[in-house]
Amino acid sequence: MSDQSKHVSIDNSGVDPQTNFSLNPTFAAIVDSRMARRNFLKGSVGAAVAAFIGGSLVGCSSDDDEPVAVVPPVTAAPLLGFTAIAAGRSDSIVVPEGYTARAFLPWGTPLTGSYPAFLADASNTGEDQEQQVGMHHDGMHFFPIDARSNGESSTEGLLVFNHEYIDNNLVHTNGIETVPRIADEARKEIAAHGVSVAHIQQQADSSWALVNNSPFNRRITGATPMELAGPVRGSANVVTKYSPDGSRTRGTLNNCGNGYTPWGTYLTCEENWAGYFVNTDADKPREHSRYGVSGSNGRYFWETATPTADQYQRFNASKVGADATEDYRNEPNTFGWIVEIDPFNPDSVPQKRTALGRFGHEGIIFGKLEEGKPVVLYSGDDSRYEYIYKFVSSAPYYKTTAGGHLLNDGTLYVARFNDDGSGEWLPLDINNTDFATKAAEAGVNFNDQADVLLNTRLAADISGATKMDRPEWGAVHPETGEVYFTLTNNSRRTEEQTDAANPRAANVTGHIIRWNERDTQAATTFDWDIFLLAGDVGTATPGTELTLTADNHLASPDGLWFDKNGLLWIQTDMSGSQQGEGPYGNNQMLVADPVTRNIKRFLVGPTDCEVTGISATPDMKTLFVNIQHPGDRSKPDNFTSHWPDGGNSRPRSATVIVTKDDGGVIGS
Ligand code: FEO
Ligand code: CA
Ligand code: CA
Ligand code: CA
């Protein structure tokens, strides 16, 4: 043991640091004018949603009053017919009566190559982990095996899911103990990050199984070669020793939420990536400082791994070489992006889509598609006082030619929520006169659009965007195109900082905001209101009839997803203390009717977990949900959960498969 070694104290809690100290305005308090806007939403969108939810075969077209055919829901049974479950604190998955939940593909499941077995004492090597399912499951999507044609298979497909981070107390037999780090431990931790692609099939008894030896099974990790695509590719600010022409990088990290494209590819989001790097230079570039790159050490000290190797030294972003081709001063600039992965081509190189901006991407969601119109995507930046963004492609969408090129060229906007219920999308475009004027007034110089995108947060600061209470997932109603976003919490917001869109000081329980674009999905103005204020029993959402009860009280909403029947699924990410001491029990999942605001608790997770990530088969009869970090407060010799294996076992993140015992539609 080196005498330089010391004990590592790794703080899992500080993964969403506040790094926005800009002075752009927060708005003064609310708000009677909000009522008029709410009525507007209720009258126009609400009615259309109601027709859809109710199973009507007609809906209203956008430009006249003629009824037009819309896709009917896949169930005739009334939705939300189940009995809500109680909040609770058992070390198990609880679902409503008539439903069954089974754990599937936990961390360490053999997935590729020689299919190395998971060892219960976590003594698997780095090489093993590269062939096993990663740790800390998060965003997820089920691609029907025929996704490139009909997309109708509900019995076979590719389940693609993120691995957000690692639990330093559980990933090795004795946890993470000393620095300098042991190289193979760092290799294992890097391999436990990233994305898994699993080819799965439903069995005769209705359970699901991995297709062993399928060529589709794949691990993408924190070390997988990737390309930079879009405006930042080739920029001087992404030149590294590994890629002197600034076209490539290695790996994706801290993959939180996800998205998927209409052309059958997966989008993974890089959230709290900044913490993985260190820059000890006295003067840090704004591309590092505005995102919180540490001056002392990377989160897991990978930069110290010995024996040393380029793949670990790259986490040191200090200037140690003569120029950028001789060190990794620019390595953090190759993170903070949305990454597109083609799960149907195991040899495909993941593409970092830089036109979508660089920040703490929580998730990404497409706006409603229209043939011949641009594609629209929404993404939130999950840190305190950060923003919500929208991308509008330059080229129009046509089903037959759509592909990743649509994500390489377009306009990135950031949201301003006005107190009167209106909103504006502010362009972050160096060629836009208004933006250029604001930059000049702020004394900020951008060299080109690549520089704007590398510094997306700074560009949003000077544009006058609204600082939000930690934007997490977004969801788009499949019929109306109405957009919902979770704002998970912000305990630091003061009374003076409250505004209509973030109306509560010391907001420890969070809320859900929603909006409607004016005219088309690509519009630059919108109308918004607050769908739900989260909190304890009795918490009311002003201007609505919603008051939370024991069937649906919740805190820290995070994951958000519309199923094809128009039900809104809400997942919570309460901290350990909020779960342990609050009135809400363990993290959970609820489901809401967006029109009536009827909300019921559907699932409660095991001890010290987070419920995050959700997808379903096209027939809505198999629901996939991820359980992240069960036993989050474990020590290497003291586990606070034994889910899913029971007994005295080590807790493992896993997917959960939920089915209805009568074979019916989930949520009915
Ligand atoms: Fe990874 Fe913002 O939750
Ligand atoms: Ca999340
Ligand atoms: Ca969260
Ligand atoms: Ca998490």
Side-chain angles (χ1 to χ4, degrees):
M1 191 72 59
S2 158
D3 58 8
Q4 290 178 340
S5 71
K6 62 182 182 189
H7 259 76
V8 181
S9 172
I10 295 174
D11 179 8
N12 265 349
S13 63
V15 294
D16 294 303
Q18 177 189 344
T19 57
N20 190 357
F21 298 100
S22 67
L23 295 174
N24 64 320
T26 52
F27 295 93
I30 323 182
V31 158
D32 293 340
S33 62
R34 304 285 310 106
M35 288 303 300
R37 195 61 63 185
R38 288 200 184 93
N39 289 338
F40 164 76
L41 284 170
K42 197 173 173 185
S44 57
V45 180
V49 179
F52 175 68
I53 301 272
S56 166
L57 290 172
V58 297
C60 293
S61 68
S62 58
D63 55 1
D64 61 40
D65 292 322
E66 290 298 305
V68 293
V70 297
V71 179
V74 295
T75 177
L79 297 171
L80 293 181
F82 65 91
T83 301
I85 59 169
R89 288 198 178 86
S90 72
D91 190 25
S92 62
I93 299 279
V94 181
V95 289
E97 196 176 339
Y99 286 85
T100 297
R102 303 179 184 90
F104 188 52
L105 301 176
W107 165 52
T109 301
L111 184 67
T112 70
S114 62
Y115 288 75
F118 175 72
L119 302 175
D121 65 354
S123 61
N124 286 104
T125 63
E127 186 178 13
D128 291 346
Q129 179 65 76
E130 288 164 355
Q131 303 166 77
Q132 297 170 329
V133 168
M135 210 171 195
H136 283 16
H137 301 37
D138 207 312
M140 167 171 57
H141 188 69
F142 175 82
F143 293 89
I145 199 68
D146 56 352
R148 297 291 165 83
S149 52
N150 296 332
E152 290 172 351
S153 178
S154 288
T155 55
E156 183 177 2
L158 304 183
L159 191 68
V160 187
F161 49 108
N162 291 345
H163 304 290
E164 187 181 26
Y165 68 105
I166 54 168
D167 189 319
N168 41 291
N169 285 310
L170 297 173
V171 65
H172 310 293
T173 305
N174 298 313
I176 293 176
E177 292 186 290
T178 60
V179 289
R181 298 299 316 283
I182 299 163
D184 194 65
E185 287 192 357
R187 178 178 174 180
K188 179 178 180 180
E189 292 160 28
I190 291 167
H193 284 72
V195 176
S196 290
V197 179
H199 183 183
I200 62 172
Q201 226 170 15
Q202 196 167 30
Q203 309 299 294
D205 67 356
S206 89
S207 68
W208 287 75
L210 179 71
V211 180
N212 276 313
N213 300 311
S214 166
F216 294 122
N217 293 340
R218 183 181 185 189
R219 277 306 321 280
I220 289 157
T221 74
T224 301
M226 310 206 166
E227 286 193 14
L228 297 167
V232 174
R233 181 185 174 94
S235 159
N237 284 326
V238 289
V239 166
T240 62
K241 189 175 171 185
Y242 175 75
S243 181
D245 68 354
S247 64
R248 300 168 67 234
T249 188
R250 281 168 288 188
T252 185
L253 290 170
N254 212 268
N255 303 97
C256 191
N258 74 296
Y260 60 95
T261 69
W263 49 91
T265 60
Y266 186 77
L267 299 174
T268 190
C269 305
E270 299 180 335
E271 189 193 15
N272 292 303
W273 48 272
Y276 291 75
F277 299 95
V278 58
N279 181 348
T280 58
D281 295 345
D283 284 327
K284 288 191 197 52
R286 61 192 186 184
E287 296 85 6
H288 295 186
S289 56
R290 181 63 179 82
Y291 296 89
V293 171
S294 168
S296 55
N297 59 269
R299 180 178 301 153
Y300 304 114
F301 298 80
W302 291 337
E303 69 279 4
T304 71
T306 185
T308 60
D310 188 71
Q311 62 175 306
Y312 309 120
Q313 290 169 337
R314 68 188 168 110
F315 293 101
N316 179 1
S318 314
K319 290 179 179 171
V320 296
D323 61 42
T325 65
E326 294 188 7
D327 62 24
Y328 287 100
R329 67 187 67 179
N330 288 329
E331 186 77 350
N333 301 347
T334 70
F335 287 80
W337 307 109
I338 298 291
V339 186
E340 184 176 11
I341 295 167
D342 181 355
F344 290 95
N345 178 358
D347 299 323
S348 59
V349 178
Q351 303 287 312
K352 297 204 174 189
R353 299 292 179 194
T354 63
L356 302 176
R358 175 170 176 260
F359 46 91
H361 281 284
E362 173 69 24
I364 191 152
I365 180 81
F366 272 75
K368 196 179 172 189
L369 281 177
E370 283 185 88
E371 187 82 357
K373 299 277 180 64
V375 295
V376 174
L377 297 93
Y378 301 96
S379 183
D381 184 353
D382 177 14
S383 272
R384 297 182 187 95
Y385 308 109
E386 295 296 346
Y387 309 113
I388 295 174
Y389 297 84
K390 171 183 181 174
F391 172 83
V392 179
S393 67
S394 297
Y397 168 82
Y398 295 103
K399 190 171 192 294
T400 53
T401 59
H405 61 276
L406 290 171
L407 307 183
N408 284 344
D409 187 16
T411 304
L412 185 66
Y413 298 88
V414 66
R416 179 161 68 203
F417 293 84
N418 298 320
D419 277 5
D420 66 358
S422 67
E424 294 162 68
W425 291 109
L426 309 169
L428 308 178
D429 176 359
I430 198 165
N431 295 315
N432 179 282
T433 307
D434 188 40
F435 178 74
T437 302
K438 287 174 181 168
E441 285 172 1
V444 172
N445 180 56
F446 294 110
N447 297 324
D448 49 25
Q449 187 60 20
D451 201 17
V452 173
L453 292 165
L454 275 161
N455 293 284
T456 300
R457 283 181 171 176
L458 175 61
D461 291 340
I462 64 175
S463 75
T466 303
K467 296 176 176 183
M468 310 300 287
D469 285 347
R470 296 186 54 199
E472 299 256 22
W473 292 48
V476 172
H477 191 281
E479 190 58 25
T480 65
E482 195 167 45
V483 190
Y484 291 65
F485 256 77
T486 47
L487 297 163
T488 196
N489 56 52
N490 181 357
S491 56
R492 292 191 198 157
R493 188 174 290 270
T494 64
E495 283 293 348
E496 296 70 41
Q497 292 173 331
T498 58
D499 56 41
N502 302 277
R504 293 190 290 189
N507 179 13
V508 295
T509 51
H511 55 291
I512 298 176
I513 199 166
R514 66 178 181 180
W515 64 85
N516 249 321
E517 304 289 0
R518 289 188 184 164
D519 192 18
T520 67
Q521 201 87 35
T524 55
T525 52
F526 59 91
D527 299 295
W528 65 271
D529 76 352
I530 288 177
F531 175 66
L532 159 103
L533 293 182
D536 200 356
V537 171
T539 301
T541 300
T544 77
E545 290 168 8
L546 177 63
T547 299
L548 299 178
T549 70
D551 283 347
N552 56 24
H553 64 308
L554 77 160
S556 301
D558 187 335
L560 198 66
W561 179 71
F562 267 112
D563 70 27
K564 63 194 300 180
N565 294 327
L567 290 181
L568 183 67
W569 297 77
I570 304 164
Q571 301 173 317
T572 69
D573 179 16
M574 296 179 280
S575 66
S577 58
Q578 200 168 31
Q579 292 181 80
E581 295 147 27
Y584 312 100
N586 293 349
N587 274 312
Q588 54 189 267
M589 180 167 75
L590 308 96
V591 55
D593 178 328
V595 179
T596 64
R597 287 183 168 85
N598 183 14
I599 305 171
K600 291 183 177 181
R601 188 177 298 104
F602 181 85
L603 180 149
V604 175
T607 306
D608 288 348
C609 82
E610 172 188 347
V611 181
T612 180
I614 179 168
S615 192
T617 52
D619 64 5
M620 269 305 291
K621 293 183 176 178
T622 300
L623 187 73
F624 303 95
V625 178
N626 276 334
I627 297 297
Q628 186 186 83
H629 65 67
D632 183 45
R633 294 189 282 184
S634 296
K635 300 294 178 204
D637 56 356
N638 181 16
F639 304 143
T640 63
S641 165
H642 304 288
W643 189 87
D645 300 327
N648 293 316
S649 65
R650 179 177 301 264
R652 301 157 82 186
S653 294
T655 300
V656 168
I657 290 179
V658 181
T659 51
K660 202 171 180 211
D661 298 343
D662 66 3
V665 164
I666 309 297
S668 62

